[in-house]
Amino acid sequence: MKMIPKLSVAMLWMSLLVFATGCETPHSGNPLFSDLLTADPCALVHNDTLYLFTGSDEIPQGQDGFLMKKWYVFSTTDMVNWTRHGSKLAVEDFKWAAANAFAGHVVENHGKFWWYAPLVHKSVKVHEGFAIGVAVADHPAGPYHDAIGEPIITDTTANSIPLNIDPAVYVDDDKQVYFFWGSWGQVRMAKMKDNMMELDGPVVDVPGLTNFFEAPFIHKRNGIYYFTYSAGYPSRIEYAISKSILGPWEYKGVINDTIPNSPTNHQAIVTFKGNDYFIYHTAGLPDGGPFRRSVCIDKLEYDENGLIKPVVRTTKGVPMIR
Ligand code: FUB
C-alpha cells in the first residue's frame, strides 16, 4: 500500500516529462549557426524555400577589424532544418575588387538572382574606395558570376558618399527597380534600369530618415513601404513608413535595440509561409565580438495599425513550420 502513492508520483512526473518533450515544437535556436561566423543577413523566398545570404567574419579571436572575404547561402523549408550551400560569392569573383565583402543584398527579377555586393575597389579611391557591383545566377544558390565586370557605384559616381556600402535593391509591383545604399549617416537612392545593372537617372539623397547610420532595407506590406535602417552608433534598428517609395518618410521608432558587444546592427525582413521574420546579427557565440558576429532569426510582429512592434530577441529562435 505504501508503494502505490510513490509509484504514482514517479509515473506522473515521467508522463509529464514525455508529454512536455514530445509536444515541444523544435525551434531554430539563436545564433543560427555555431560553427561559422555569419553577419549582414539578407533573405528571399523562392519555390516555397527561404534562402538566407550572409557575409562572414574571419578575424581571429582577440584581433580587431573586419576581415570578410566570402558570402554564404543557406536555405530552409521549415525554419529549423537548414541546408548549407556553402560560400557562393567571394572577393575574387569580382576582378575589380581587392577586399572587404561587406553587407550584400540579393533580389529576384526576370527569373534571375541578383547579388549586389560592396567591396573595396582595386584602384578607384577618392574617399574610402568602396564600390558596389552585382553578381547574377539562375538559382538563389548559384553559381553566381559578376554580371558586368565593373561596379555600378564607385567613389567617382556623382553624388555618391564617402562609404559606398550596404546596397538594398527593391523591385516594386509596377516593376520599377530602386537602388538604395548608405553608411556613415548618408543614404542615397537611384532608379535602376530593368536590366538590374545600370542606374536610370541621377543619384539623389533620401531625406527625413531620423538617426540614419547605415543598412537601408525596404519592404512593403498592405500598400505601405517600410524603410528599416541601422540608426546611431552603436546602432539600433529604427524605421520609417511612407505611401510612396520616394517618401516623404515618417519616422516610427526603434524595432531592435543595440546589440551587446556588437556596435553594428544589420537587418533583413521577410515573410515566409505566412510568418514574418526579423533576421539580424549579434555577437552571441561564446567567442563572438564586434567583428565576430552571428546571424539570428526572431519573429517580426505588427500591431493592428500596421506598425512594427519592438523585436523580442530570443536564444530559442523561431518554431518549426510546415
Ligand atoms: O559587415 C560590415 C559592415 O558592418 C556592414 O556593411 C554594415 O552593415 C555593418 O554590419
Side-chain angles (χ1 to χ4, degrees):
M1 285 293 284
K2 265 191 171 177
M3 289 299 287
I4 291 168
K6 270 193 191 166
L7 259 179
S8 311
V9 170
M11 282 170 72
L12 181 66
W13 273 112
M14 276 192 56
S15 49
L16 275 176
L17 194 67
V18 169
F19 181 78
T21 38
C23 288
E24 175 73 13
T25 311
H27 278 66
S28 55
N30 282 327
L32 220 47
F33 311 110
S34 57
D35 56 347
L36 178 71
L37 292 164
T38 51
D40 301 329
C42 177
L44 60 77
V45 175
H46 177 69
N47 284 349
D48 278 339
T49 303
L50 176 72
Y51 287 87
L52 169 68
F53 308 86
T54 76
S56 181
D57 285 330
E58 296 183 38
I59 198 86
Q61 201 177 2
Q63 293 181 34
D64 282 345
F66 289 121
L67 181 60
M68 306 182 79
K69 300 178 184 172
K70 299 170 188 163
W71 292 274
Y72 286 82
V73 183
F74 308 86
S75 66
T76 183
T77 56
D78 65 9
M79 299 307 291
V80 168
N81 294 294
W82 287 89
T83 301
R84 292 162 175 244
H85 299 278
S87 172
K88 292 293 175 174
L89 196 63
V91 174
E92 59 265 24
D93 292 324
F94 298 92
K95 295 281 175 276
W96 50 267
N100 290 31
F102 274 20
H105 186 100
V106 188
V107 65
E108 180 177 4
N109 202 13
H110 305 308
K112 292 186 184 294
F113 299 85
W114 305 87
W115 195 327
Y116 295 86
L119 297 143
V120 167
H121 199 283
K122 275 181 180 163
S123 56
V124 180
K125 180 172 163 57
V126 181
H127 305 291
E128 296 302 312
F130 266 91
I132 303 173
V134 62
V136 66
D138 293 329
H139 187 274
Y144 285 87
H145 66 271
D146 187 346
I148 313 172
E150 59 186 50
I152 301 168
I153 306 289
T154 70
D155 276 358
T156 61
T157 302
N159 197 30
S160 65
I161 52 178
L163 192 66
N164 289 304
I165 64 168
D166 289 10
V169 174
Y170 188 77
V171 183
D172 213 340
D173 298 336
D174 63 1
K175 299 298 170 204
Q176 176 63 54
V177 186
Y178 298 90
F179 187 107
F180 294 83
W181 77 100
S183 186
W184 286 356
Q186 297 193 53
V187 58
R188 296 289 187 268
M189 188 271 281
K191 285 186 177 172
M192 282 201 100
K193 292 186 181 168
D194 192 49
N195 65 16
M196 304 298 280
M197 294 180 280
E198 289 173 274
L199 300 189
D200 192 13
V203 171
V204 297
D205 296 16
V206 183
L209 294 171
T210 305
N211 303 325
F212 179 87
F213 182 66
E214 62 183 4
F217 187 92
I218 302 277
H219 75 283
K220 194 178 186 180
R221 180 180 183 264
N222 296 338
I224 300 291
Y225 296 89
Y226 292 75
F227 197 132
T228 53
Y229 52 92
S230 182
Y233 195 83
S235 304
R236 305 166 298 278
I237 300 300
E238 302 187 5
Y239 81 111
I241 61 171
S242 178
K243 286 187 180 150
S244 164
I245 197 165
L246 302 176
W249 295 100
E250 185 185 347
Y251 180 71
K252 288 296 177 188
V254 178
I255 56 174
N256 189 28
D257 212 340
T258 50
I259 309 276
N261 207 18
S262 169
T264 66
N265 203 333
H266 194 113
Q267 80 296 359
I269 288 172
V270 68
T271 304
F272 180 48
K273 297 185 176 175
N275 302 286
D276 297 310
Y277 295 106
F278 185 78
I279 315 180
Y280 58 103
H281 63 224
T282 68
L285 286 184
D287 58 355
F291 308 106
R292 294 175 57 80
R293 301 160 295 174
S294 298
V295 165
C296 300
I297 304 186
D298 274 303
K299 278 193 298 190
L300 185 85
E301 292 181 304
Y302 298 86
D303 72 12
E304 61 281 7
N305 298 315
L307 298 181
I308 301 176
K309 295 183 182 177
V311 170
V312 178
R313 295 198 299 255
T314 70
T315 51
K316 195 173 180 186
V318 294
M320 181 181 267
I321 57 171
R322 301 272 167 219

